[in-house]
Amino acid sequence: MKNLIIIGCGGFAREIYWYAKKSVGYGVDWQIKGFLDGNVKLPATDYELLPEKVLGDVDSYEICADDVFTCAVGTPKVRKILSEKILARGGKFINIISTLAEIIPTAKIGRGVIITPFVGISERAQIGDFVAINAQTIIGHDAQIGNFSCVMPHVAVSGGCKVGAEVFIGSGAVILPKAKIGDGATVGAGCVVLKKVKAGSTVFGNPTVEL
């Protein structure tokens, strides 16, 4: 039995704690050990809300042989930094996939991925490493999501879309078929992406307008 450590102590980490308890492998392959602080110290009241103990922080925690990790931080760049710190010291990441998600067998799922309840991942979609996909989001056929990207709830990524690495897509956004989103871009909540979002840009609105 492996011991899962959740990186992050904020609201998203608390959500992942409860989702993990209804995910593939819980209680059979792994159990939850606790949380690790990330790069930001939170108010004391936030730590009081955590359902398990804080084991330390990412920089100083001594990794044990039976430890496995998931990164429950929603900001892609921070998610990458924290995950790579653990990887550099030999830590291993597992996928947290809700038993309520629907994933077609031809889809490809990377490592360190979080897939929460009522997510649908369709025919030959490709989900990169360390991607987080939140509740009631649909990833269409042949769509691609790059490493360390975070997709918030109620998003529709249509067929044939290409989403780069370290992309953040806000709640309720719609990415139309074959649209392309460049690395490091931010797509605001409720956006409709028609064709292309430049790498590193931030867009909002329907249709999208670059900030």
Side-chain angles (χ1 to χ4, degrees), residues 38-40 71 73-84 148 166:
N39 66 329
V40 177
C71 188
V73 174
T75 303
K77 288 183 179 179
V78 177
R79 183 177 180 79
K80 181 179 181 182
I81 290 169
L82 297 178
S83 298
E84 289 182 342
F148 296 102
E166 299 176 55

Side-chain angles (χ1 to χ4, degrees), residues 108-120:
K108 294 183 179 180
I109 310 295
R111 62 169 172 161
V113 171
I114 294 173
I115 299 175
T116 62
F118 308 113
V119 167

Side-chain angles (χ1 to χ4, degrees), residues 3-128:
N3 295 313
L4 176 67
I5 298 173
I6 300 170
I7 300 172
C9 292
F12 186 38
R14 287 188 277 117
E15 287 181 344
I16 296 308
Y17 172 86
W18 295 110
Y19 288 151
K21 284 178 170 283
K22 294 185 179 180
S23 292
V24 178
Y26 175 72
V28 177
D29 300 319
W30 49 268
Q31 60 190 355
I32 300 174
K33 185 175 181 179
F35 295 86
L36 280 187
D37 247 336
N39 66 329
V40 177
K41 295 295 183 182
L42 301 172
T45 51
D46 285 25
Y47 293 105
E48 293 172 0
L49 296 173
L50 292 171
E52 289 281 353
K53 61 185 176 181
V54 178
L55 304 168
D57 59 53
V58 168
D59 292 315
S60 62
Y61 177 74
E62 185 174 341
I63 298 172
C64 301
D66 291 333
D67 288 343
V68 290
F69 296 85
T70 186
C71 188
V73 174
T75 303
K77 288 183 179 179
V78 177
R79 183 177 180 79
K80 181 179 181 182
I81 290 169
L82 297 178
S83 298
E84 289 182 342
K85 284 183 176 182
I86 295 296
L87 288 169
R89 305 202 325 264
K92 297 180 180 180
F93 284 76
I94 64 170
N95 291 341
I96 305 299
I97 299 178
S98 172
T99 57
L100 298 175
E102 184 68 33
I103 302 174
I104 289 178
T106 56
K108 294 183 179 180
I109 310 295
R111 62 169 172 161
V113 171
I114 294 173
I115 299 175
T116 62
F118 308 113
V119 167
I121 299 180
S122 193
E123 160 71 10
R124 300 191 185 278
Q126 298 181 39
I127 309 301

